[in-house]
Amino acid sequence: MPHAAPAVAGRPVPPAPGSASAALRSPVRTLRWLWPAYVTPGRPGRPTTQQELRWLYGAWLGAFALKVLGSSWDVSWHFRWLRDDLAPPHLLNSAGTVVVVALVLFSGHTGHGVDRRALRLVQAGTAVFLVAVPVDLVNHRVNGLDITSWSPSHALLYLGTAVMLAGVLRGWWLYAAPGRVRDAVALGLWLLFVENVLFPNQHQEYGVLSLRAYEAGVTTAEPQLLDFAVAQGQSPTSFMLPVPAWVHPAWLLCAGLLSLVVARRVTGLRWAATALAALYLAYRAVVWLGLEAAGFPPSVLPVALLAGAVAVDVAVTRGLPGWLAGPLVTAATYLAGALLAAAGVLPPWDWRPAAVLLTGTAFTLLWVAVETVARSRWLATWRTPLQEPAVGGAPTRPDVRDRPVT
């Protein structure tokens, strides 16, 4: 096995390409081949080529893809079976988490592909997620099934994932060379972010069809799951639709569509919000078909998100201020919701004028807040690597060897 070449400009040189075929014959040989060249100590922001960035962030996309597939299956699983710590969806999600932890350790040790702030975000998000896992297990032991996506322990899981993704988004946007690849990967990461934000709403989107099937006498839930719910003193309605009717539209607007507003502002890509909403719905539709084919409960799709996303892109393109854009996007979303309700493919929404007005006002204020932050130095700071301090705390002097290769 050849040794790595000496470091050039403070950076190890990868092994010769000719050794790749032999090294890739087994995982152990692959690790021994890559370790001397890439797994060397370094500070955040060390030189990283574009090819290496694509490998690194391709691994991030793969890790989160496993987590998303596992969590999507998990919702439907819990509307059919009793909870099980080692259920296949949990194992699939855990496989993604293992890859995430490995990537965080890699970037923390080597400094590749992240600045200090991006690294702190992925480390903090991973820590919150890992703390949330045993908290959730204890919660289930104490409170039983706890199917609702809105429990505090589940909220910690979403929060940890969101913080992780914020760090990954920052690292990629800082160091990837401008172009189609950067835009495509950024949209993929933002899609994962939006999916994580909208995940709690899936409880109502599955619950409305599961309750309808139960009332029609053709329930998709196994008898042991229904018996367990009854033993906990839960009615079918409280079990399948556990939150008030105002929650679904409020979360769709103030969390889901607000995320699309931020994505549109940060990336600056035209029709980014519409593309993300369409991709999200396409993913949910594919999952729906797969779960239906496997005999698992289906869900309705939040198609109102697409109407709101189109309105977001139009408003940003036209340069409408948040105080005007917020009510227009709210109106478009509720109009789409009314059409979906008429077709019978919408979870319960609170249509009282006061509830609609309150939701629209909250969304508008949040949009104005996003505009205020975007006009401040925050957006420029987000797009600028945080310089690593020198030993002793003094600022690092710029040096071409310390800059990422773009």
Side-chain angles (χ1 to χ4, degrees):
M1 182 67 64
H3 296 287
V8 176
R11 187 178 183 284
V13 177
S19 63
S21 58
L24 296 176
R25 290 176 183 172
S26 74
V28 174
R29 286 186 177 184
T30 301
L31 187 61
R32 291 178 61 189
W33 178 59
L34 293 176
W35 192 278
Y38 295 105
V39 190
T40 56
R43 295 192 299 179
R46 72 185 295 183
T48 305
T49 67
Q50 290 301 302
Q51 183 62 54
E52 292 162 355
L53 279 173
R54 292 174 187 177
W55 290 346
L56 179 60
Y57 283 90
W60 274 110
L61 285 171
F64 280 110
L66 289 174
K67 289 174 65 65
V68 167
L69 288 171
S71 59
S72 298
W73 187 9
D74 192 45
V75 183
S76 184
W77 180 280
H78 287 316
F79 276 94
R80 181 178 179 184
W81 301 99
L82 268 174
R83 187 183 185 282
D84 182 359
D85 292 342
L86 299 179
H90 292 174
L91 297 178
L92 189 58
N93 191 292
S94 297
T97 301
V98 169
V99 179
V100 165
V101 171
L103 290 169
V104 172
L105 292 175
F106 173 81
S107 290
H109 178 69
T110 67
H112 281 304
V114 289
D115 74 337
R116 186 153 45 92
R117 184 168 288 139
L119 178 61
R120 295 295 178 262
L121 285 170
V122 295
Q123 288 172 333
T126 304
V128 171
F129 187 92
L130 294 179
V131 167
V133 172
V135 170
D136 190 50
L137 294 176
V138 172
N139 179 50
H140 286 296
R141 293 290 183 271
V142 173
N143 297 317
L145 187 62
D146 183 31
I147 189 175
T148 177
S149 298
W150 297 97
S151 69
S153 58
H154 292 162
L156 281 176
L157 295 171
Y158 313 144
L159 175 62
T161 302
V163 175
M164 278 186 234
L165 280 165
V168 176
L169 279 162
R170 175 181 170 83
W172 174 254
W173 198 254
L174 283 179
Y175 296 127
R180 292 182 178 179
V181 173
R182 183 178 77 165
D183 294 345
V185 173
L187 285 176
L189 293 171
W190 274 109
L191 176 62
L192 293 166
F193 189 93
V194 171
E195 190 280 338
N196 177 66
V197 167
L198 287 172
F199 185 84
N201 263 1
Q202 290 190 48
H203 192 127
Q204 293 94 298
E205 292 158 9
Y206 277 91
V208 64
L209 292 186
S210 293
L211 182 60
R212 194 176 300 168
Y214 175 83
E215 292 172 342
V218 288
T219 181
T220 53
E222 293 296 313
Q224 58 178 336
L225 177 59
L226 296 174
D227 292 342
F228 191 89
V230 171
Q232 286 188 302
Q234 293 181 312
S235 68
T237 301
S238 64
F239 180 67
M240 299 176 189
L241 298 173
V243 294
W246 61 265
V247 172
H248 190 276
W251 194 256
L252 186 72
L253 275 156
C254 298
L257 283 168
L258 187 71
S259 297
L260 296 181
V261 172
V262 175
R264 178 69 167 79
R265 291 284 187 183
V266 171
T267 64
L269 300 175
R270 297 189 65 181
W271 301 106
T274 302
L276 289 171
L279 287 170
Y280 173 75
L281 292 172
Y283 165 74
R284 288 285 303 275
V286 171
V287 169
W288 183 88
L289 292 173
L291 291 172
E292 182 81 5
F296 284 93
S299 72
V300 298
L301 301 181
V303 180
L305 179 75
L306 183 59
V310 172
V312 166
D313 276 327
V314 170
V316 174
T317 301
R318 296 290 183 181
L320 299 182
W323 61 265
L324 179 57
L328 292 176
V329 173
T330 300
T333 305
Y334 270 94
L335 176 59
L339 296 175
L340 293 170
V345 288
L346 187 75
W349 278 23
D350 191 337
W351 295 98
R352 293 175 300 170
V356 175
L357 180 62
L358 186 59
T359 298
T361 301
F363 175 65
T364 300
L365 292 174
L366 288 169
W367 190 320
V368 171
V370 168
E371 279 187 337
T372 303
V373 171
R375 285 194 296 266
S376 69
R377 296 181 59 187
W378 176 87
L379 193 56
T381 301
W382 179 263
R383 294 172 173 170
T384 305
L386 188 66
Q387 291 291 337
E388 187 72 11
V391 177
T396 303
R397 297 181 63 181
D399 188 319
V400 70
R401 294 177 301 172
D402 296 329
R403 294 175 186 167
V405 177
T406 58

